[in-house]
Amino acid sequence: METAADVVAAAGRVVALTGAGVSAESGIATFRDAGGAWAQVDVADVATPAGYRADPAALWRWYADRRRAMRAAAPNPAHQALAAIEARVADFVLVTQNIDGLHQRAGSRRVLELHGSVEEARCTGRGHATPWPDPEPGAPVPPLCPRCGARLRPDVVWFGEALPRATVEAAWAAAADCDVLLVVGTSAVVEPAASLPRVAAAHGAAVVEVNPNHTPLSAVADHVLGAPAGVVLPALVEAAWGAGGPASPGEARGRI
Ligand code: BV8
């Protein structure tokens, strides 16, 4: 922990890549762990365009249930610690695979959502973007686009769909230019997100993995902190900057 904390404290530019594990301690199910979000469904039915086409109502309801759970959840100490790191380093970018919005609710400001957001929907007619509509009794499921009347779909990225180009470009540019990349709570099996830490490592960044389980990235990481993010990240912030923490970026404990 100490060496990882020293590396983070000394860094000018930090990127964090997060996955579902960072929200586990908020009570939001991960995907591939036992009892995960996909345990009771076929991934093809809920995470592919074909699944939407086959039964748009069932898929919409599945996401509506997840959205309710995500809105009822609260950011946990892991989300808060990442927001604290952003306040303490000169340049911080948070890249998330999550759609739950908990990083923003914890105070993180520079957040790149690679796989979209559960708060956004878009129409299947002309791609009109719209906030996720609150359920109305008697309204069709999925609801219809308020602009063109086409069916709405969740504005998230499913398998076989391209990630938002500008978001990917910003994330890859940040990873290629950072001093430290924190990879937190991801099984690192979904591309292209799983390649981001390798991009950072190839450009000389130190990679710090936070995950109670071994992943394909554990071999790439310079530091592996094998415990829950809600425990590790607050401890990392304290070890790097002390309990109070510096007033400004770079003013770390013993480093003025
Ligand atoms: C694309 C929807 C191209 C959103 C999701 C063969 C090889 C390589 C790649 C491919 C291939 N065949 C196809 C592909 C591409 C495919 C892919 O990667 N497939 C893999 C699975 C083989 N990728 C795609 O299709 C992507 N698109 O490539 O497009 C393209 C280009 C141009 C034009 C057209 C197409 C799209 C990928 C996005 C898919 N969408 N979900 C949603 O509903 O949320 S995937 C799903 O997995 C989620 O998005 C999630 O974010 C993502 C990754 O999962 P994790 O977040 O890592 O969660 P997981 O449960 O897996 O792991 C949790 C981890 O947390 C565990 O390690 C656990 O130990 C840890 N943990 C638990 N508790 C804690 C903890 N850690 C810390 N603290 C704790 N307390």
Side-chain angles (χ1 to χ4, degrees), residues 4-22:
D6 286 345
V7 161
V8 172
R13 297 176 304 267
V14 175
V15 170
L17 170 69
T18 65
V22 80

Side-chain angles (χ1 to χ4, degrees), residues 104-221:
Q104 295 92 324
R105 286 170 55 193
S108 290
R109 289 174 296 120
R110 291 182 68 192
V111 179
L112 298 172
E113 293 174 314
L114 291 178
H115 295 163
S117 167
V118 81
E119 289 304 329
E120 302 297 326
R122 73 171 186 267
C123 87
T124 54
R126 297 185 206 138
H128 296 133
T130 181
W132 189 280
D134 290 325
E136 284 179 35
V141 178
L144 304 181
C145 174
R147 290 177 57 184
C148 72
R151 274 197 192 123
L152 293 181
R153 56 159 282 177
D155 195 10
V156 301
V157 181
W158 289 324
F159 288 107
E161 295 188 314
L163 280 63
R165 177 190 298 274
T167 305
V168 170
E169 286 172 358
W172 260 244
D177 188 38
C178 70
D179 304 309
V180 174
L181 187 132
L182 301 169
V183 51
V184 183
T186 184
S187 59
V189 296
V190 172
E191 295 294 351
S195 295
L196 203 66
R198 299 178 196 280
V199 170
H203 286 81
V207 175
V208 179
E209 181 179 46
V210 178
N211 194 322
N213 296 311
H214 194 83
T215 76
L217 285 176
S218 302
V220 175

Side-chain angles (χ1 to χ4, degrees), residues 87-109:
R88 285 166 172 76
V89 300
D91 186 350
F92 180 91
V93 177
L94 200 155
V95 183
T96 187
Q97 299 171 89
N98 301 340
I99 65 172
D100 59 30
L102 287 180
H103 287 303
Q104 295 92 324
R105 286 170 55 193
S108 290
R109 289 174 296 120

